[in-house]
Amino acid sequence: PPPPPPSQGAMATGAANHPLPCSVGRPKGTNQRRRPASLSVRASSDANTVTLLDYGAGNVRSVRNAIRHLGFNIRDVRSPEDILAADRLVFPGVGAFGSAMDVLNRTGMADALREYIRRDRPFLGICLGLQLLFDSSEENGPVSGLGVIPGVVRRFDSSEGLIVPHIGWNALQITKDTQLLQGADGHHVYFVHSYHALPSDANRDWISSTCNYGESFISSISMGNIEAVQFHPEKSGATGLSIFEKFLSPNSSGAKAPAHRKASKLAKRVIACLDVRSNDNGDLVVTKGDQYDVRDHSSSKEVRNLGKPVELASQYYIDGADEVSFLNITGFRAFPLGDLPMLEVLRCASEKVFVPLTVGGGIRDFTDGSGRYYSSLEVASEYFRSGADKISIGSDAVFAAEAYLQTGVKTGKSSLEQISRVYGNQAVVVSIDPRRVYVKSPDEVQFRTVKVSSKGPLGEEYAWYQCTVSGGRDSRPIGAYELAKAVEELGAGEILLNCIDCDGQGGGFDIDLIKMVSDAVTIPVIASSGAGSVEHFSEVFEKTNASAALAAGIFHRKEVL
């Protein structure tokens, strides 16, 4: 495939602009525009095969897994003729809008797509695969699209405090009776995007559902055999698989959707985290630390073994986890790409878990024992190809933020900047590991302090949160507030906010810390460390602007189901 474009999911910056006039035929029942040059290829007739348009950027492994999970084979598009020969075409669009259109135009696939759609052949676009159907996008633009649907794709407005990207489970409001969305009205599905198309008089006949996030936007379209969705059905659990199967098997009822829920807005997410490392026998196990110490306090001093990674991840998906996060806490240190067992964990988990998967642990530039250099982008790319939807960066992001705050210059060379530029902000999570430092007065330090809910050991009323690296072993001269602000500017799409003081204690999340950071940034914040009961989740969502809450031990030990 061609090289990946400079971002993913229609939400990153830095893409080149390639505005081209777009004239295209529309499916029957709409106003006709100028048709492209005729391309004549007979469609295939293999009822068990789906044609997938994947031009080499981002994680489409989840789409492949969903298709295969539902019992279908995949034929990849390698030429424009493959598009026109398709019996059913799935286009999981990845990359920035302009970059994607550049690839489609350069390879001749844009005209083939227009002709395929003009013939009203079965088509399912996903995420950017929906946005590209519109006239144009403002992303690094204006950039012309395929011109099938009237309208302009615009960025969500964060000026009034709206958190962007729009990440998480939001509700569909059905506006048109279509087989694809039967049973999905009022259900949550998974979104991850910063750009959206708005309903208008010119495109209202296309709209099959809307969603509300700051304003009502188009979440799916349907016209004849042409379907497209802004959300990710392959990451939307049972509801998403049901939608996928209705497209792949239009004469079937599809997989059974879950019981109806009256969802109306973006849900707060609950994330199951699995700390993965090799035990003393060399086996990958899920473990859990006590203030980052993962060894038993008994005489054995063995690594705590709470189960097998894939089995636990699969069970959490069945139990209803909104996302699953893997953190490799000892691998990757010397040779990230040599950690084949962890890559296999990702591949196997992605075949069974149809909600987003995040992986983290030592993702950085490195040089192996033979002197060969590997960039953090190469490391991240391997994890995306193995099934990860997001990459979590820890220590390397701290060093990048420190350099940025000292110079005020974005070099573009840090792992955070490289990965977000290629795969999009929504694919990069920055994990912050701070510990509380009490002070008597905010004037004692140059970092942002908070007035703490519980006084320090010497009666201190204030604290700042000092960031650490290397799994909490080394402290750095930067606060959690300053780090969060810096990594947002450098391209992070989410922040995973831990707290060493609360880790493994079961006394609840550090509300003071989470409120300080979630009020300071406009990207989603995931609260982590300290959950010991269901009430702790309610508390953090009620008292802070956290978009999600993550826990590990209470799930592993089945204290909370």
Side-chain angles (χ1 to χ4, degrees):
S7 58
Q8 171 178 332
M11 65 218 24
T13 60
N17 296 336
H18 299 278
L20 293 173
C22 192
S23 300
V24 56
R26 297 174 183 263
K28 56 187 178 183
T30 63
N31 295 328
Q32 296 293 315
R33 296 185 181 183
R34 183 175 61 85
R35 293 169 55 177
S38 177
L39 294 168
S40 179
V41 177
R42 180 174 296 177
S44 65
S45 58
D46 186 348
N48 203 45
T49 297
V50 179
T51 300
L52 183 68
L53 177 51
D54 169 17
Y55 57 85
N59 172 25
V60 298
R61 189 181 187 93
S62 299
V63 174
R64 293 179 182 275
N65 287 339
I67 293 172
R68 292 183 176 124
H69 176 80
L70 294 169
F72 291 82
N73 301 318
I74 296 171
R75 179 184 295 118
D76 285 298
V77 169
R78 302 191 181 282
S79 69
E81 290 73 24
D82 291 335
I83 292 175
L84 296 174
D87 189 52
R88 284 156 301 182
L89 181 66
V90 175
F91 182 20
V94 290
F97 193 104
S99 301
M101 282 305 304
D102 180 39
V103 172
L104 294 176
N105 283 316
R106 178 161 41 85
T107 58
M109 292 182 185
D111 277 345
L113 275 171
R114 294 185 181 104
E115 178 65 14
Y116 182 90
I117 291 171
R118 187 195 68 79
R119 296 179 185 181
D120 195 27
R121 303 292 301 150
F123 172 89
L124 177 63
I126 299 174
C127 196
L128 186 61
L130 175 141
Q131 295 180 14
L132 291 168
L133 297 176
F134 285 83
D135 287 327
S136 64
S137 172
E138 293 181 348
E139 184 184 11
N140 303 108
V143 181
S144 296
L146 292 171
V148 175
I149 305 174
V152 178
V153 175
R154 294 183 168 89
R155 193 180 191 275
F156 284 111
D157 183 4
S158 60
S159 63
E160 299 297 325
L162 190 69
I163 294 173
V164 181
H166 172 218
I167 297 180
W169 297 74
N170 212 334
L172 295 178
Q173 308 301 325
I174 308 298
T175 61
K176 180 190 289 188
D177 184 18
T178 64
Q179 181 181 0
L180 189 75
L181 299 181
Q182 282 181 2
D185 191 24
H187 282 285
H188 281 109
V189 289
Y190 186 77
F191 290 87
V192 52
H193 60 125
S194 291
Y195 288 80
H196 63 297
L198 295 175
S200 69
D201 289 340
N203 60 36
R204 64 182 178 183
D205 290 341
W206 283 89
I207 302 170
S208 57
S209 74
T210 60
C211 180
N212 189 277
Y213 189 65
E215 59 186 337
S216 181
F217 67 90
I218 297 172
S219 53
S220 66
I221 61 95
S222 178
M223 180 73 74
N225 287 312
I226 310 305
E227 311 270 6
V229 296
Q230 179 63 70
F231 56 91
H232 287 265
E234 77 280 9
K235 289 295 174 183
S236 297
T239 296
L241 289 178
S242 176
I243 291 171
F244 232 133
E245 187 168 9
K246 288 185 177 72
F247 172 75
L248 298 175
S249 302
N251 296 324
S252 72
S253 59
K256 184 179 180 181
H260 182 73
R261 297 169 293 177
K262 293 183 179 179
S264 60
K265 60 182 180 180
L266 183 67
K268 299 290 188 179
R269 290 171 283 151
V270 176
I271 301 173
C273 180
L274 293 82
D275 293 338
V276 181
R277 65 157 288 168
S278 297
N279 63 13
D280 296 328
N281 296 321
D283 302 317
L284 278 186
V285 299
V286 174
T287 188
K288 182 64 189 82
D290 180 351
Q291 296 187 318
Y292 291 25
D293 179 5
V294 300
R295 292 188 177 274
D296 281 325
H297 294 164
S298 63
S299 58
S300 70
K301 298 294 184 181
E302 291 184 352
V303 173
R304 297 185 185 96
N305 183 352
L306 299 177
K308 297 180 179 180
V310 176
E311 290 180 3
L312 278 179
S314 302
Q315 187 59 52
Y316 293 148
Y317 164 64
I318 294 170
D319 290 342
D322 296 314
E323 297 184 25
V324 174
S325 179
F326 291 107
L327 180 60
N328 191 334
I329 59 177
T330 56
F332 303 112
R333 300 307 180 208
F335 187 27
L337 292 181
D339 199 347
L340 298 180
M342 191 62 199
L343 293 174
E344 188 62 22
V345 164
L346 266 180
R347 295 185 187 108
C348 293
S350 67
E351 293 175 358
K352 300 179 179 180
V353 177
F354 295 100
V355 294
L357 293 173
T358 301
V359 65
I363 296 174
R364 55 180 171 76
D365 298 346
F366 75 100
T367 302
D368 67 15
S370 65
R372 180 179 174 184
Y373 169 78
Y374 295 84
S375 71
S376 58
L377 183 58
E378 289 179 89
V379 178
S381 297
E382 186 61 35
Y383 285 94
F384 285 126
R385 284 191 291 268
S386 297
D389 299 286
K390 307 177 196 177
I391 292 295
S392 178
I393 304 174
S395 300
D396 214 42
V398 177
F399 299 133
E402 288 177 350
Y404 173 61
L405 291 174
Q406 288 174 1
T407 65
V409 176
K410 299 178 184 179
T411 66
K413 297 179 180 180
S414 69
S415 58
L416 169 54
E417 293 169 278
Q418 289 183 59
I419 298 169
S420 63
R421 182 174 62 250
V422 173
Y423 290 102
N425 299 40
Q426 88 294 337
V428 180
V429 181
V430 168
S431 179
I432 301 178
D433 297 316
R435 58 166 48 94
R436 197 181 303 120
V437 180
Y438 291 101
V439 292
K440 292 182 178 180
S441 166
D443 298 331
E444 292 183 24
V445 292
Q446 60 180 319
F447 307 107
R448 178 65 63 96
T449 62
V450 295
K451 189 169 184 178
V452 292
S453 303
S454 299
K455 294 181 180 181
L458 300 178
E460 301 96 334
E461 294 185 347
Y462 296 90
W464 69 287
Y465 289 86
Q466 184 173 23
C467 295
T468 66
V469 296
S470 302
R473 293 186 293 274
D474 300 321
S475 298
R476 299 296 303 177
I478 185 171
Y481 174 93
E482 290 75 20
L483 178 59
K485 296 283 286 184
V487 297
E488 179 181 16
E489 292 187 36
L490 290 172
E494 280 186 290
I495 290 173
L496 172 59
L497 188 57
N498 307 293
C499 180
I500 295 176
D501 306 275
C502 297
D503 182 65
Q505 303 305 294
F509 299 99
D510 190 324
I511 300 298
D512 298 330
L513 168 65
I514 296 163
K515 179 171 175 53
M516 176 181 68
V517 172
S518 62
D519 286 349
V521 297
T522 61
I523 57 178
V525 172
I526 303 168
S528 176
S529 303
S533 68
V534 172
E535 289 73 24
H536 291 152
F537 289 87
S538 301
E539 179 186 33
V540 76
F541 291 142
E542 291 169 357
K543 294 183 177 181
T544 77
N545 287 322
S547 298
L550 175 149
I554 59 171
F555 296 146
H556 305 335
R557 296 186 294 267
K558 301 189 183 301
E559 296 168 1
V560 173
L561 300 176

